[in-house]
Each structure stands twice: as C-alpha cells, then as structure tokens.
Amino acid sequence: MLKLCYGALTVATLAAAIGPASAQQPTTPPAAAAAPDSGQSAAPAGAFSYFVNLKNGDTVTSPFKVIFGLSPNMGVAPSGVEKPNVGHHHLLIDKTLSAEEITQPITVDEQHVHFGKGQTETTVTLPPGKHTLQLMLGDWTHIPFKPPVQSEVITVTVKEAGAKSATNAMMEEKKEHHHHHHHRHDHK
C-alpha cells in the first residue's frame, strides 16, 4: 500500500519538476540538454541518491537490507525506459567510479550491482570487515548522469552473524531436552 502511494507521489513530483523546467527553456527540451557526444543524460541540478536506512560508520550483520533513496527531482524506472530525469539504481560495493568510468555504462559484477527492474531496495551479503557502499543512478543505457546522481560513499562494518549460532545452540538444546522424555516404562 505504502509503495503505491509513494509511486503516485513520485509521478506527481516528477510532473511538477518537469513542468517549470520546460517553461524556463522553451528552446531546448530537457532530454537534449546533455552534450550529444558524451552519451550521458543530463540530470537536474541538485539531484542525488542516498541510503535510507544506513549511514556512514554503521555496523551491520550480514546479510543486511539496503534501501535506496532518491531526491524528488528524479524518478526510478527500469533500464531501457528512456525518459528525462529517470534512471535505475546501481550499488557500488568497495568500489568508486573513475572520471572515465562515469561517462560509460556501468560494469556488471559483484562490485557493481544493477537494479535494472527499478528496484529501490536489496539485501546484501558481505564478509565481516569494513566495506564501502555507494549508490549511482544510471540512465536507461546504464550510463551515469551528468552531473552524476549519486550518494556519498559510506563505510559500514559487517560483523560476524552471531544470531545464527545462538539459534543453532537453542535448537541443539531443545533436541537434547526433548530426548530426555523418551524413557521406556514397562507397565506390567
């Protein structure tokens, strides 16, 4: 239910954002604002993505949930949807993009996770230790926007999943406990 309302809200915000922009520049449609040679789509000034549920310095237990946020002047759509100010999220794990990489389609591997269906959250499994995370919005062809629509790079510390072993210990205990009830009584 919440998702539905949010979607409607995004559409309304988008319409509001696109409206005044086209009024200001009657000569150039927003889509053609990007330099034609770069292949990058233009992003409105001040657009950014952010982590909704994580902040720099957080300690998490793997697997952990990551929720992607986006400033109201941008929208999320699956890859292949060519619309101004709309893109899909990419999660960069222990990786940042160089100035050259930022002008090209984002690689696909374990460190560059694509959310091409327009997802706005994921569950990440990482080994214990410190890891950096960054969100980068890609346009319909997976190329970052110009200027880049990205989150700050945050560092999270993944701790050993202690919860699992505790659950297993309880299960073991229950089994032992259960075992004691099977004494044989011969009633004659």
Side-chain angles (χ1 to χ4, degrees):
M1 209 41 221
L2 194 69
K3 270 210 177 98
L4 269 173
C5 303
Y6 185 69
L9 199 105
T10 313
V11 173
T13 320
L14 256 179
I18 294 168
S22 11
Q24 281 164 8
Q25 355 159 283
T27 46
T28 343
D37 58 303
S38 76
Q40 286 179 279
S41 300
F48 62 94
S49 49
Y50 60 95
F51 294 102
V52 175
N53 62 327
L54 293 172
K55 58 185 188 306
N56 196 26
D58 275 0
T59 298
V60 295
T61 305
S62 187
F64 58 99
K65 185 178 254 198
V66 181
I67 302 174
F68 319 143
L70 190 59
S71 56
N73 52 358
M74 291 293 290
V76 174
S79 58
V81 174
E82 188 182 359
K83 277 189 192 150
N85 304 343
V86 165
H88 62 282
H89 291 287
H90 299 82
L91 180 62
L92 307 180
I93 301 172
D94 296 327
K95 185 93 184 88
T96 53
L97 298 180
S98 69
E100 191 185 342
E101 286 175 316
I102 243 166
T103 63
Q104 297 161 359
I106 298 168
T107 321
V108 181
D109 59 27
E110 274 120 57
Q111 291 183 296
H112 304 78
V113 190
H114 287 243
F115 297 95
K117 295 189 177 81
Q119 303 96 311
T120 55
E121 62 179 53
T122 189
T123 299
V124 178
T125 305
L126 289 174
K130 281 192 184 314
H131 297 277
T132 62
L133 299 174
Q134 184 182 25
L135 286 174
M136 178 70 69
L137 201 71
D139 69 8
W140 64 288
T141 61
H142 305 280
I143 300 175
F145 285 82
K146 190 177 187 161
V149 178
Q150 61 193 6
S151 72
E152 59 172 1
V153 176
I154 65 166
T155 301
V156 295
T157 303
V158 175
K159 60 176 195 218
E160 288 278 3
K164 262 198 192 127
S165 42
T167 315
N168 288 347
M170 273 173 59
M171 293 300 279
E172 289 303 312
E173 215 174 284
K174 273 200 181 129
K175 256 188 246 160
E176 296 271 326
H177 194 68
H178 190 69
H179 190 68
H180 289 292
H181 293 291
H182 288 287
H183 295 293
R184 208 181 217 133
H185 296 287
D186 283 331
H187 295 291
K188 287 189 173 157

